[in-house]
């Protein structure tokens, strides 16, 4: 198994990548912004995607999107083919795309919105923290991408303040402050940095159920 930055030789997998993303969303019963093969190919051609392959068989994929003139970036479309699930591959792909993303956009805030608890846990281990939508990009192009999600009406009903997804953010400036704060000679006060609490899967599961009860009932 190799996980590498995707190139022209991987464009042939664009259709199966889209089909796998859509099928996965149907199985989970969650909303998801649909992708087209043309869009996936554009990400591959621009060097904004990583792919996992084994013996020339598609195993997993993820790509980078940039918003607000590169001030915010997102690692999107994470998917693992059913034949390669339960092997920890999603976590490996997230690590590779995260590192690639940080090299391409070292000063950008890395964010994501997801309903998947497993993805939330992986993001947290990479240094993300749960945030309100107000801390994410205000680029309308990003939010317009949610229009194909079946839960888009929830986003519009709340004036884009919340949805069934949870927002998560990695702020490189915040991480640098934390690093300096851990230095005994630092003048930065620890209360100037947002407290990082242990990841609690049960709390997020409860929050997800509350959101579903609240918003889907109104729908």
């Amino acid at each position: 198994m190799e996980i590498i930055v995707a190139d022209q030789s991987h464009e042939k997998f664009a259709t199966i990548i889209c089909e796998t993303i859509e099928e996965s969303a149907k199985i989970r019963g969650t909303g998801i912004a649909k992708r087209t093969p043309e869009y996936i190919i554009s990400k591959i051609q621009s060097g904004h995607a990583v792919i996992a392959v084994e013996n020339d068989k598609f195993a997993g994929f993820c790509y980078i999107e940039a918003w607000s003139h590169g001030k915010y970036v997102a690692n999107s479309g994470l998917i693992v083919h059913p034949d390669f699930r339960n092997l920890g591959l999603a976590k490996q792909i997230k690590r590779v795309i995260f590192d690639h993303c940080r090299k391409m956009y070292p000063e950008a805030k890395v964010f994501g919105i997801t309903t998947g608890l497993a993805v939330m846990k992986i993001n947290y281990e990479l240094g993300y923290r749960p945030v309100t939508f107000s801390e994410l990009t205000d680029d309308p192009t990003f939010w317009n991408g949610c229009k194909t999600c079946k839960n888009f009406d929830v986003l519009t009903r709340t004036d884009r303040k919340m949805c069934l997804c949870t927002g998560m953010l990695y702020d490189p400036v915040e991480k640098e402050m934390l690093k300096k704060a851990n230095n005994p000679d630092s003048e930065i006060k620890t209360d100037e940095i947002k407290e990082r609490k242990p990841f609690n899967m049960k709390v997020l599961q409860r929050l997800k159920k509350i959101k579903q009860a609240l918003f889907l009932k109104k729908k």
Side-chain angles (χ1 to χ4, degrees):
M1 177 77 68
E2 61 177 354
I3 305 172
I4 56 176
V5 176
D7 58 34
Q8 188 176 5
S9 67
H10 301 118
E11 293 179 15
K12 62 185 178 183
F13 297 118
T15 298
I16 190 174
I17 288 171
C18 293
E19 292 174 348
T20 306
I21 291 174
E22 187 171 358
E23 188 61 30
S24 177
K26 290 179 180 178
I27 293 174
R28 297 197 311 269
T30 59
I32 192 168
K34 293 183 180 180
R35 283 80 169 180
T36 65
E38 293 75 19
Y39 186 72
I40 296 299
I41 289 174
S42 73
K43 288 299 177 183
I44 292 175
Q45 292 177 340
S46 64
H48 283 64
V50 301
I51 191 168
V53 292
E54 183 173 79
N55 298 324
D56 201 35
K57 183 176 180 180
F58 161 67
F61 185 80
C62 194
Y63 64 86
I64 299 169
E65 294 178 297
W67 310 99
S68 304
H69 306 289
K71 293 181 180 179
Y72 290 85
V73 292
N75 299 331
S76 304
L78 174 65
I79 190 65
V80 173
H81 189 277
D83 293 347
F84 297 93
R85 289 175 185 164
N86 302 315
L87 300 173
L89 184 56
K91 186 173 182 179
Q92 295 177 55
I93 294 173
K94 281 289 288 187
R95 168 54 71 182
V96 174
I97 192 72
F98 180 76
D99 291 342
H100 184 49
C101 182
R102 295 284 295 122
K103 290 178 181 178
M104 295 187 73
Y105 301 92
E107 298 181 1
K109 293 181 179 180
V110 189
F111 77 99
I113 59 174
T114 181
T115 58
L117 295 174
V119 175
M120 291 181 205
K121 187 174 187 298
I122 294 171
N123 284 347
Y124 192 86
E125 291 172 352
L126 288 172
Y128 291 66
R129 60 181 174 81
V131 296
T132 60
F133 281 9
S134 64
E135 293 186 59
L136 307 180
T137 179
D138 59 1
D139 191 324
T141 307
F142 170 77
W143 297 104
N144 287 340
C146 295
K147 287 183 177 179
T148 55
C149 174
K150 68 178 184 179
N151 297 316
F152 184 66
D153 71 298
V154 176
L155 192 65
T156 55
R157 279 191 277 124
T158 61
D159 294 323
R160 215 171 67 189
K161 293 179 180 178
M162 61 179 67
C163 194
L164 297 186
C165 284
T166 295
M168 301 192 76
L169 181 77
Y170 175 96
D171 185 345
V173 174
E174 184 179 279
K175 297 304 175 184
E176 185 62 28
M177 287 181 64
L178 181 59
K179 185 186 298 183
K180 291 180 179 179
N182 289 330
N183 186 327
D185 299 325
S186 174
E187 296 181 357
I188 298 177
K189 298 179 181 178
T190 54
D191 58 6
E192 293 178 3
I193 305 172
K194 289 181 172 57
E195 181 182 2
R196 182 173 166 79
K197 299 179 180 179
F199 184 86
N200 193 318
M201 182 75 80
K202 290 184 178 180
V203 170
L204 289 176
Q205 285 177 324
R206 195 177 307 123
L207 177 61
K208 182 177 179 180
K209 289 181 179 179
I210 291 173
K211 285 182 177 181
Q212 290 174 330
L214 178 62
F215 297 127
L216 298 185
K217 182 178 181 181
K218 286 186 177 181
K219 180 177 179 182

